[in-house]
Amino acid sequence: MSAAPTRIYLDGNSLGPPAPGVKERLASFVTDEWDASLIGGWMGHGWWDMPTKLGDRLGALVGAAPGQVIVAESTTVVLYKLLVAALKLRPGRSWIVTEEGNFPTDRHIIDGIASQFGAEVEAVPADQIISSICDGTAVVCLTHINYRSGFRLDMAAITAAAHAKGAVVLWDLSHSTGAMDLYLDRDQVDLAVGCTYKFVNGGPGAPAFAYVAERHISTLAQPITGWIGHVDPFSMSEVFEPDPTIRRMLSGTPSVLGMVALEAALDTWDGVDLVALRARSVELTERFIALADERLVPLGFELVSPRNPDDRGSQVALRHEHAYGIIQAAIAAGVVGDYREPQLCRFGFAPKYNTIAEVDEAVDRIVSLVERGDHLLAAYAVKKKVT
Amino acid sequence: MSAAPTRIYLDGNSLGPPAPGVKERLASFVTDEWDASLIGGWMGHGWWDMPTKLGDRLGALVGAAPGQVIVAESTTVVLYKLLVAALKLRPGRSWIVTEEGNFPTDRHIIDGIASQFGAEVEAVPADQIISSICDGTAVVCLTHINYRSGFRLDMAAITAAAHAKGAVVLWDLSHSTGAMDLYLDRDQVDLAVGCTYKFVNGGPGAPAFAYVAERHISTLAQPITGWIGHVDPFSMSEVFEPDPTIRRMLSGTPSVLGMVALEAALDTWDGVDLVALRARSVELTERFIALADERLVPLGFELVSPRNPDDRGSQVALRHEHAYGIIQAAIAAGVVGDYREPQLCRFGFAPKYNTIAEVDEAVDRIVSLVERGDHLLAAYAVKKKVT
């Protein structure tokens, strides 16, 4: 092979590419804001209000009216804050229902909070979630799209079932935001957390966001009570009184650089039709599955993601006994997907920039590399390096 | 007045200026790392190891041998994690001793944790800290330099007194790091948190850092157990097992942008002699106090910071009945300090870049503006705008 093959990036569900203009925006931030205004930038350039301003723009991507979404820390930290607060919304109830096979960070946070705050965890398969919700359930805490299989839970139905039993829901939208239409307000979701470095393209370690339904904001008590979430931070009062708005979700000084890059990414989302975006996502995954059935299954691959697009996010997982070597060889051939335990090749399709032609070309290259046996060599090379 | 006056920045204790090269480093990060390598950047460009690599470099600024400092989130969030963990180091003890007038975020976190985890808080004046530590004290949680007065607590003596009673110490180094020599290892400090956007110049909302003494790392149980702190994150295990190293302090995906800017700032700290830095800091504050005694006290200012430099950080606070208007007028005259309740003008002296000539010129301008009555007009203008 002579020149490096064109990159086909099917891992935007792990880390999205930079938005056009982000480099210039960061440069202008350093020179025209930070250096020019120093401490005055907090008010003069609106850094202080960025968590809520960007929050409202993210709200438009998840079906939330303004005032209910705020940008902060990481998905993990925000999930911690929301879940502790959620338990306090339902005193006297002690169960947290989640899905077996939920993303590890979600599971670790749920288990950690349960042991620290005296709750109990019930982790069940997707089809038993609704039947597991009972009068003792405080919170139903789920990831909308399974990170491994791409299975999509029915947010409206599960939320309604939780409410019917008096529980609150907390949805993790990490693999949903920026890939499909979402309706947090319409579906009466209580709380949600999401990631902005996957389909939203905010950059590695970009801040997460929290959604708190308007009806819960004034009573929500999150545990990391820092001065930025105080009703009047500059009073320097030693007595904590939370801001009456969504700002009470804040704790410490937010990363302005992270928000500046996120702002540049959000500029590319203005006016995006989310229904059309979802249609495009379905088109991409349907095409990939059809080609996989025809050309990859005969080579030993097995579809792990749901066949029904309604049950699927914007990614497709294929099991193969040599999955790890296949992903290494695919990356070498310019097709960037990722490996997930056990034996899964995971391909994310970002409806904002991936094309049908890329899907076709990706399958061509995977077929070729498996037929050539590149995946066996790739796995061997990695093994040699490791041992 | 025709041209704007040269800026004399005496607020580097609130937000430091950008390091030379930070803009270029961010641009190169976007193009040569994020865009070029996408998901491969985590390992290929070492993003994964940045929290500990930068942590070790910060360790050199606080007297910590490698492997004990890690970069993460914000001072508030890190303080929360460390304080919850600190309480668990002393089961059966329930008191947290702190200083009356500690920075609000520290106080809010202490109070919040006390109420959530069943501890009690004793907030006492600086001179009663040591006598307040008793056999029931679990943690002595203090800020080294008082944000308001600049009073510097005796870290070695208080740490020793806490240990004599079996308690652990948690020091907040927000106003110390990058302004003086520190000796966490030598002084046998247990835990510490610090800020990198003040004297270290990491940028607005730059990540904080945590110090955990080597002897505590393997048993420290911090509450926000996310997948990045797992011993083997890519095993995707649903059972949390903390990393055996300082990485267990991590929770979610760290802000790479924030760390890239911090790295550019840390490049300017290599080889800085901290003892000389402290000497310079003392020289600057001594000069300012001498001039204040001579020229500002007659205008109604009163020194609030300690006279003995050993008891002082790198800032000086002056009380004045028109403090708010004076700070507004001073900023208009190019002397950037900040106002703190009640009636305090606070001036920070960054020994890395502030000069004696700047101190002299700043006092000149403050004298002039007070003599002209600018501060009365400034206060009036703000009042009109607000009401």
Side-chain angles (χ1 to χ4, degrees):
Chain A
M1 201 180 298
S2 49
T6 325
R7 180 171 67 192
I8 300 174
Y9 192 58
L10 303 179
D11 210 2
N13 54 328
S14 216
L15 174 66
V22 65
K23 188 163 68 172
E24 294 71 20
R25 181 72 186 84
L26 286 168
S28 147
F29 165 76
V30 172
T31 303
D32 307 328
E33 301 191 17
W34 179 10
D35 197 32
S37 303
L38 293 167
I39 193 66
W42 280 105
M43 299 306 166
H45 295 291
W47 307 340
W48 189 259
D49 294 323
M50 287 180 89
T52 47
K53 286 208 170 146
L54 300 185
D56 283 347
R57 294 176 74 180
L58 283 160
L61 296 184
V62 298
Q68 303 173 107
V69 177
I70 194 159
V71 163
E73 293 109 7
S74 63
T75 310
T76 302
V77 173
V78 171
L79 182 66
Y80 178 89
K81 296 202 269 191
L82 286 173
L83 184 53
V84 172
L87 282 172
K88 291 187 192 157
L89 288 174
R90 291 295 178 269
R93 290 170 173 239
S94 64
W95 285 90
I96 302 169
V97 171
T98 190
E99 188 192 354
E100 198 178 86
N102 196 348
F103 185 69
T105 225
D106 299 71
R107 191 56 200 275
H108 301 332
I109 289 292
I110 291 169
D111 289 350
I113 287 175
S115 78
Q116 290 174 85
F117 293 86
E120 315 251 14
V121 180
E122 189 164 10
V124 297
D127 60 1
Q128 291 170 33
I129 292 168
I130 288 182
S131 62
S132 299
I133 305 169
C134 67
D135 292 346
T137 307
V139 190
V140 179
C141 184
L142 297 165
T143 300
H144 185 215
I145 310 293
N146 186 285
Y147 78 102
R148 207 162 2 201
S149 67
F151 191 89
R152 180 165 90 148
L153 296 175
D154 187 334
M155 195 184 297
I158 294 172
T159 300
H163 289 171
K165 297 285 186 184
V168 295
V169 293
L170 197 181
W171 286 98
D172 179 340
L173 308 175
S174 290
H175 288 271
S176 321
T177 315
M180 63 191 65
D181 46 331
L182 293 161
Y183 304 93
L184 299 190
D185 285 351
R186 185 202 71 188
D187 292 345
Q188 295 275 301
V189 167
D190 301 285
L191 308 166
V193 59
C195 173
T196 71
Y197 58 73
K198 297 176 182 289
F199 292 112
V200 179
N201 310 326
F209 66 87
Y211 164 87
V212 180
E214 175 61 33
R215 64 189 178 282
H216 293 305
I217 292 176
S218 66
T219 51
L220 203 78
Q222 63 98 343
I224 311 181
T225 50
W227 77 300
I228 302 277
H230 193 280
V231 61
D232 187 7
F234 293 97
S235 70
M236 299 288 166
S237 165
E238 287 186 63
V239 178
F240 186 73
E241 186 187 339
D243 193 281
T245 75
I246 186 80
R247 284 189 71 91
R248 66 174 50 200
M249 282 302 300
L250 295 177
S251 301
T253 309
S255 168
V256 178
L257 270 172
M259 293 192 294
V260 164
L262 176 57
E263 188 172 47
L266 286 172
D267 285 347
T268 72
W269 285 97
D270 285 339
V272 167
D273 177 340
L274 297 175
V275 173
L277 188 83
R278 168 67 179 164
R280 173 63 159 187
S281 159
V282 169
E283 189 188 4
L284 291 164
T285 54
E286 285 286 273
R287 175 74 169 194
F288 183 77
I289 290 173
L291 290 173
D293 282 340
E294 184 193 323
R295 305 184 61 196
L296 297 177
V297 169
L299 297 174
F301 289 88
E302 177 198 350
L303 179 69
V304 168
S305 299
R307 284 202 174 273
N308 179 352
D310 289 347
D311 295 336
R312 198 167 66 221
S314 207
Q315 65 189 63
V316 176
L318 301 173
R319 181 176 293 123
H320 191 287
E321 61 171 325
H322 300 304
Y324 188 77
I326 288 166
I327 287 295
Q328 299 308 312
I331 291 170
V335 179
V336 183
D338 57 21
Y339 173 77
R340 282 292 175 265
E341 294 286 351
Q343 299 188 334
L344 293 188
C345 299
R346 189 180 73 160
F347 300 101
F349 299 89
K352 195 135 181 286
Y353 53 84
N354 284 136
T355 64
I356 290 289
E358 285 183 315
V359 173
D360 295 355
E361 173 69 18
V363 174
D364 275 349
R365 292 191 199 168
I366 295 167
V367 168
S368 300
L369 73 89
V370 173
E371 285 178 346
R372 278 196 307 268
D374 290 359
H375 57 301
L376 303 172
L377 292 169
Y380 177 72
V382 169
K383 216 168 189 173
K384 264 190 72 178
K385 217 167 150 185
V386 169
T387 54
Chain B
M1 202 181 298
S2 50
T6 323
R7 180 171 67 193
I8 299 174
Y9 192 58
L10 303 180
D11 209 3
N13 54 329
S14 214
L15 174 65
V22 65
K23 188 163 70 172
E24 294 70 21
R25 181 71 186 86
L26 286 167
S28 147
F29 166 76
V30 172
T31 303
D32 307 327
E33 300 192 18
W34 178 10
D35 197 31
S37 302
L38 294 167
I39 191 68
W42 281 104
M43 299 305 166
H45 295 291
W47 306 341
W48 189 261
D49 293 323
M50 286 180 90
T52 47
K53 286 208 169 147
L54 300 185
D56 283 345
R57 294 176 74 180
L58 283 159
L61 295 184
V62 298
Q68 302 174 105
V69 177
I70 194 160
V71 162
E73 294 109 8
S74 62
T75 310
T76 303
V77 172
V78 170
L79 182 65
Y80 178 89
K81 295 202 273 193
L82 286 174
L83 184 52
V84 172
L87 283 172
K88 290 187 194 159
L89 289 175
R90 291 296 178 266
R93 290 170 173 239
S94 63
W95 286 90
I96 302 169
V97 171
T98 190
E99 188 191 355
E100 197 178 86
N102 197 346
F103 186 69
T105 225
D106 299 72
R107 191 57 201 272
H108 302 332
I109 289 293
I110 292 168
D111 289 351
I113 286 174
S115 80
Q116 292 174 84
F117 293 86
E120 317 253 12
V121 180
E122 189 164 11
V124 297
D127 60 1
Q128 292 170 32
I129 291 168
I130 288 182
S131 61
S132 298
I133 304 169
C134 67
D135 292 345
T137 307
V139 190
V140 179
C141 184
L142 297 165
T143 300
H144 185 214
I145 310 294
N146 186 285
Y147 78 102
R148 206 162 5 201
S149 66
F151 191 89
R152 181 165 90 147
L153 296 175
D154 186 335
M155 195 184 297
I158 294 173
T159 299
H163 289 171
K165 297 285 185 184
V168 294
V169 294
L170 198 181
W171 287 98
D172 180 340
L173 308 175
S174 289
H175 288 272
S176 322
T177 315
M180 65 191 65
D181 47 332
L182 293 161
Y183 304 93
L184 299 190
D185 284 350
R186 184 201 72 187
D187 292 345
Q188 294 276 302
V189 167
D190 300 287
L191 308 166
V193 58
C195 172
T196 70
Y197 58 72
K198 298 177 183 289
F199 292 111
V200 180
N201 310 327
F209 66 88
Y211 164 87
V212 180
E214 175 62 33
R215 63 189 177 281
H216 292 306
I217 292 176
S218 67
T219 51
L220 203 78
Q222 63 97 345
I224 312 182
T225 49
W227 77 299
I228 302 277
H230 193 281
V231 61
D232 186 6
F234 292 98
S235 69
M236 298 289 165
S237 166
E238 286 186 63
V239 179
F240 186 72
E241 186 187 340
D243 192 282
T245 75
I246 186 78
R247 283 189 73 91
R248 64 174 52 201
M249 282 302 300
L250 295 177
S251 299
T253 308
S255 169
V256 178
L257 269 171
M259 292 191 293
V260 165
L262 175 56
E263 188 173 46
L266 287 172
D267 284 346
T268 71
W269 285 96
D270 285 339
V272 168
D273 177 339
L274 297 176
V275 172
L277 189 83
R278 168 65 179 165
R280 173 64 160 185
S281 159
V282 169
E283 189 188 4
L284 292 165
T285 55
E286 285 287 273
R287 175 75 170 192
F288 183 78
I289 290 173
L291 291 173
D293 282 340
E294 181 192 327
R295 306 184 61 195
L296 297 177
V297 169
L299 297 174
F301 289 88
E302 176 199 348
L303 180 68
V304 168
S305 299
R307 283 204 175 271
N308 179 351
D310 289 346
D311 294 337
R312 197 166 67 220
S314 206
Q315 65 190 61
V316 176
L318 302 173
R319 183 176 292 122
H320 192 286
E321 62 170 325
H322 300 304
Y324 188 78
I326 288 167
I327 287 294
Q328 299 308 312
I331 291 171
V335 178
V336 183
D338 57 20
Y339 173 78
R340 282 291 175 266
E341 295 285 353
Q343 300 188 333
L344 293 188
C345 299
R346 189 180 73 160
F347 301 100
F349 299 89
K352 195 133 181 286
Y353 52 84
N354 283 138
T355 63
I356 290 289
E358 285 182 316
V359 173
D360 294 354
E361 172 70 18
V363 174
D364 275 348
R365 292 191 201 170
I366 295 167
V367 168
S368 300
L369 73 89
V370 173
E371 286 178 346
R372 280 195 308 266
D374 290 359
H375 58 300
L376 303 172
L377 291 169
Y380 177 73
V382 168
K383 215 166 189 176
K384 265 191 72 177
K385 216 167 149 188
V386 169
T387 53

